[in-house]
Amino acid sequence: MLPLWAKVEGGGKPVGFLEELKGLLGDRVLTKEAEIAPYESDALTAYRKRPLAVVLPERKEEVVAVVRLCHRHGVPFVARGSGTSLSGGSLPVEGGIVIALNRLNRILRLDPKARIAVVEPGVVNLEVSRQAAPFGLLYAPDPSSQPVSTIGGNVAFNSGGAHCLKYGMTANHVLGLEVVTPTGEVVRLGGEGLEGVGPDLHGFFVGTEGLLGVAVEITLRLLPRPEAYHTLLAAYDSLEKAGEAVSRVIRAGLLPGAMEIMDRLAIEAAEKAVRAGYPEAEALLIVELEGPKEEVAAEAEVLHRVIQESGAYEVRLAQSEAERQAIWKGRKAAFSAVGRLSPDYLVQDGVVPRSRLGEALREIQRLSQVYGLRVANVFHAGDGNLHPLVLYDGKRPGELERAEELAGEILRLCVRLGGSLTGEHGIGVEKKAYMPEMFAPEDLMAMERVKAALDPKGQANRGKVLPEEVHA
C-alpha cells in the first residue's frame, strides 16, 4: 500500500513558481549548478539529489512566505541547517526546494533568571552554551557536531550527545516552539515553563525530522553549570570488557554525566587527527562524573573501585581542565577522524539495552569478519546508543552495497536485542526500509495518517522516514 502522501500528484517545475520565489527573496534564491551543488547531500554523502532551487531566508516571515508559496504550487521543500545529518535527513527532493536556515542565527532572548534561551533555528548548538556561560549556565545536549550543527536540526532529529545519559535528549530541553506547518499556518507549541497544560505538542514535534513543518523559533531550557567534574579514562584489552564495565558502573548505583566507548580503530583515528594522548588499547571507556563537589568526590571513590574490578589495565584521571578537554577532544573528533582510515564510511546509530551491550559488540565484530569490512565503534555506552562506522571504498565495485548490507544487519541486530533503529541520527532515507522491522503495519499506518492530516500534499521533507509501501 502506497503512503497517503504519495497519492497526491505534484512536483516538477511549476509555471511561475521560481519567478514568485525570486520576488520574495531576490538574489537569495540560488538556482545555478555551482550554487546549489553544496546542498545536494548532507553528511551522508552516498545519497545525492539536485533541488530545483535553494533559498536563504533571513527572517521567519520569509520562511512563512516561502512555505505558503510551496503549498500553493504543490512544490516539496526540505528545511536544512548545517547539513550534518548522517541519515540523509536533509537530502533534497528533485523538483523541490531547500530552505537553508543558517541565516536565522540570532539568540533572541537569554533570560538567566528564568533559565531559558529563545533562539532561531540556525543558531549553532555550542553558541548557546557560550552565551549562557557568563551566567553560570549551559545548554546540555552536546552532539559531537555541536560546534557546527544547528538547534533547528537538533530539534528535527532529537539529538543527544555524550551527556544525554544524565541530562536526556533535545526533547528534554525544548520548552516551546513556533512552527510553520506544511500548509503555511504558524502555530505555537508549548511555552516557557516545565509544566504545561494539555497534550505535549512541542515534545511530539521534536524528532519528527521535518515531516510536520519548520521550527522558526525555539525556547530552550538552560541548566546550571556543574560545580565539579571527575573525568576518568580506562583502557581494556577487549571491547567486550569495556561494554560490561558500563553495566557494572550502573549496577553500582552511579549515574555519570557521560560514559563513552571507543574501539581500537576509533582510537587510532583520533590519535592521528588530534593527538589526544590516548593509551594503546582494544577499547577505551570514558566516564565523567559531574555535580556538587562533595557528591562527585563520594561517587569517585565508588567509580574507581568498580573500574579496577572491571579488568581495566590502565586508568587515567584528568588532573586539570586542559586534560579533561584533551580526553573529550579525541572522542568528539572520532567520527570525522575515521576519514583518515578509509576513503568512505557509513555511520550507524542503533540502540541496544545496556544489559546486552557486550553481546551486541561481539556480534558486530563477527559480522565485520563475515562481510570482510572493518567496523570502528564509537558510542554512547551509558544508554546503549551504538555508532558503528562501516569502512569501505566506494571506488571498488560492490563495496558500497556490501557496506550497506552490513549496516542493515547491525540495525536488525539492535531491534532483535530489544533496541531501536536510531538513538539520535534519525531515520532519514537511509533507514526507512527497516521501519517494518521495528513497527507493525498498524503503527506505520498511524504515522502515515498523522503525516497526511498535517501535510495533505506530502510536501515537507517528502520521501523521508516512512517506507515507500506499507503492507497491512
Side-chain angles (χ1 to χ4, degrees):
M1 181 175 179
L2 288 175
L4 299 179
W5 54 261
K7 299 176 183 178
V8 180
E9 294 182 359
K13 186 175 180 180
V15 177
F17 172 74
L18 281 179
E19 287 71 21
E20 288 190 59
L21 198 58
K22 289 176 181 177
L24 290 173
L25 298 180
D27 60 4
R28 288 181 284 121
V29 178
L30 311 181
T31 57
K32 295 178 181 177
E33 183 176 342
E35 293 176 327
I36 64 177
Y39 298 89
E40 290 180 356
S41 76
D42 52 24
L44 185 65
T45 56
Y47 296 85
R48 292 184 177 274
K49 290 285 180 69
R50 178 163 297 178
L52 174 67
V54 176
V55 299
L56 307 172
E58 295 179 346
R59 297 178 294 113
K60 67 180 179 182
E61 292 81 7
E62 292 180 335
V63 178
V64 175
V66 168
V67 171
R68 287 176 178 172
L69 184 64
C70 287
H71 181 66
R72 181 153 53 86
H73 284 275
V75 175
F77 62 87
V78 176
R80 172 187 165 118
S82 295
T84 57
S85 166
L86 288 160
S87 63
S90 52
L91 183 73
V93 177
E94 288 185 6
I97 68 167
V98 173
I99 304 175
L101 298 167
N102 301 77
R103 296 191 182 189
L104 276 78
N105 59 2
R106 292 172 285 269
I107 295 179
L108 302 173
R109 180 159 63 96
L110 199 155
D111 186 338
K113 290 185 178 179
R115 292 181 181 172
I116 63 170
V118 182
V119 308
E120 292 182 321
V123 170
V124 169
N125 176 297
L126 190 58
E127 187 61 24
V128 180
S129 288
R130 284 177 179 153
Q131 296 296 326
F135 306 101
L137 301 172
L138 57 74
Y139 177 60
D142 61 338
S144 295
S145 60
Q146 71 175 155
V148 291
S149 66
T150 60
I151 295 296
N154 292 171
V155 168
F157 292 94
N158 193 21
S159 301
H163 290 81
C164 64
L165 171 63
K166 185 171 185 176
Y167 296 111
M169 312 289 282
T170 296
N172 303 107
H173 300 272
V174 172
L175 300 174
L177 295 161
E178 186 173 10
V179 173
V180 186
T181 72
T183 60
E185 182 183 0
V186 180
V187 297
R188 281 196 172 272
L189 311 176
E192 295 187 355
L194 288 171
E195 298 298 329
V197 177
D200 179 16
L201 295 178
H202 64 287
F204 171 74
F205 184 87
V206 176
T208 53
E209 299 193 30
L211 267 65
L212 304 182
V214 184
V216 289
E217 189 175 294
I218 304 151
T219 302
L220 303 173
R221 178 167 70 121
L222 304 176
L223 298 180
R225 187 171 292 277
E227 183 183 10
Y229 292 97
H230 184 89
T231 308
L232 175 149
L233 182 71
Y236 293 86
D237 58 16
S238 77
L239 192 56
E240 185 180 349
K241 284 183 181 178
E244 291 180 354
V246 172
S247 296
R248 287 173 176 261
V249 171
I250 297 298
R251 283 199 303 268
L254 298 175
L255 182 60
M259 279 199 290
E260 302 285 299
I261 288 179
M262 302 168 63
D263 73 0
R264 180 178 54 79
L265 279 174
I267 297 164
E268 179 186 341
E271 279 299 303
K272 287 182 178 179
V274 299
R275 294 183 175 86
Y278 291 151
E280 291 188 9
E282 288 300 310
L284 291 178
L285 171 64
I286 301 170
V287 185
E288 183 163 274
L289 304 172
E290 55 185 59
K293 287 183 180 179
E294 294 80 4
E295 179 182 308
V296 169
E299 289 183 344
E301 293 183 9
V302 178
L303 175 63
H304 281 264
R305 184 179 70 251
V306 171
I307 294 299
Q308 292 293 347
E309 292 172 353
S310 69
Y313 65 82
E314 183 175 346
V315 179
R316 296 182 184 177
L317 176 64
Q319 301 291 344
S320 65
E321 179 61 18
E323 290 185 10
R324 173 178 173 263
Q325 291 298 335
I327 289 174
W328 283 113
K329 186 177 182 181
R331 165 59 187 90
K332 297 264 182 176
F335 274 14
S336 57
V338 168
R340 292 171 176 263
L341 304 182
S342 174
D344 302 288
Y345 59 91
L346 295 176
V347 182
Q348 271 307 351
D349 173 48
V351 181
V352 297
R354 277 192 303 263
S355 60
R356 309 194 75 174
L357 200 53
E359 182 180 351
L361 295 173
R362 279 197 305 273
E363 182 61 11
I364 290 172
Q365 288 178 318
R366 188 190 71 80
L367 288 169
S368 172
Q369 294 174 350
V370 170
Y371 281 85
L373 295 171
R374 295 181 298 169
V375 178
N377 289 282
V378 186
F379 52 97
H380 308 314
D383 61 349
N385 188 182
L386 304 174
H387 291 325
L389 296 91
V390 181
L391 312 188
Y392 72 97
D393 186 346
K395 293 180 180 178
R396 295 175 181 168
E399 197 153 298
L400 169 59
E401 291 74 16
R402 202 159 81 249
E404 289 179 326
E405 288 179 18
L406 172 53
E409 286 299 319
I410 292 173
L411 289 178
R412 292 190 180 96
L413 168 68
C414 291
V415 173
R416 193 164 63 246
L417 294 179
S420 168
L421 293 173
T422 181
E424 58 179 336
H425 292 176
I427 300 298
V429 294
E430 182 196 26
K431 301 176 188 172
K432 65 179 184 176
Y434 299 99
M435 289 286 277
E437 303 273 347
M438 185 171 175
F439 297 101
E442 295 80 7
D443 299 323
L444 294 171
M445 282 305 302
M447 297 178 199
E448 293 278 10
R449 286 193 291 271
V450 170
K451 169 69 170 170
L454 297 175
D455 184 9
K457 294 184 178 180
Q459 292 171 268
N461 218 6
R462 178 180 293 174
K464 312 295 169 46
V465 181
L466 302 171
E468 301 298 341
E469 294 192 14
V470 177
H471 299 283

